[in-house]
Amino acid sequence: MLWKIVLSVLAVVFTVGSGASMVGGFVDIDPNDEGLRNALNYSVAEHNKRSNCMYLSQVAEVVKAQSQVVAGLKYVITVRMAKTPCRKDGANDVCAIHEDPAQAQPYLCTFTVWSRPWLNDIRLLNETC
């Protein structure tokens, strides 16, 4: 009986120590992944809606991107955001970030998004800026 416990513990230690990734855990993904891009575009649109700022913000840089297979895909995306000269009430779809860092006022955000593309369902679960 004791040997079963010892063997189980050793198996766990060797698995964790070997750097094997946990099945169903978060994995780093390419920032150009189509699903990630959709999740990021949705997150930025929601961020701008919720923000009290009168100007739109855009992604300046994707710092880290991860995904996890759940009942769909969960994305955790850390980005550097910056202000644009475009007002929220304008009709601008695409607007460049201020080149002057003092006006761009860069800041870091992490978005957690749940996507179920086969249902046309995407949700911003958490936003930390």
Side-chain angles (χ1 to χ4, degrees):
M1 177 75 167
L2 181 61
W3 67 272
K4 289 181 182 179
I5 295 171
V6 171
L7 189 58
S8 297
V9 170
L10 285 174
V12 169
V13 168
F14 286 128
T15 301
V16 171
S18 69
S21 62
M22 181 189 303
V23 175
F26 281 100
V27 294
D28 292 337
I29 58 172
D30 181 359
N32 295 315
D33 177 83
E34 182 181 355
L36 175 80
R37 282 282 160 207
N38 292 336
L40 185 54
N41 290 338
Y42 178 78
S43 298
V44 170
E46 288 297 307
H47 171 73
N48 282 320
K49 284 182 202 172
R50 297 174 182 185
S51 166
N52 290 330
C53 184
M54 44 193 293
Y55 294 95
L56 294 172
S57 293
Q58 290 292 342
V59 174
E61 173 190 11
V62 176
V63 177
K64 186 173 185 176
Q66 295 184 309
S67 69
Q68 178 186 31
V69 176
V70 291
L73 283 171
K74 184 187 277 186
Y75 296 99
V76 176
I77 314 160
T78 302
V79 293
R80 188 167 320 286
M81 301 284 290
K83 304 276 187 235
T84 70
C86 298
R87 293 176 63 94
K88 280 186 182 181
D89 56 3
N92 298 323
D93 288 335
V94 177
C95 194
I97 295 169
H98 280 290
E99 290 185 19
D100 179 10
Q103 290 184 326
Q105 301 173 355
Y107 57 100
L108 208 60
C109 287
T110 300
F111 301 115
T112 303
V113 182
W114 181 30
S115 174
R116 297 182 297 174
W118 64 93
L119 296 174
N120 271 342
D121 182 43
I122 189 165
R123 300 175 191 192
L124 181 58
L125 301 178
N126 190 26
E127 171 186 351
T128 306
C129 293

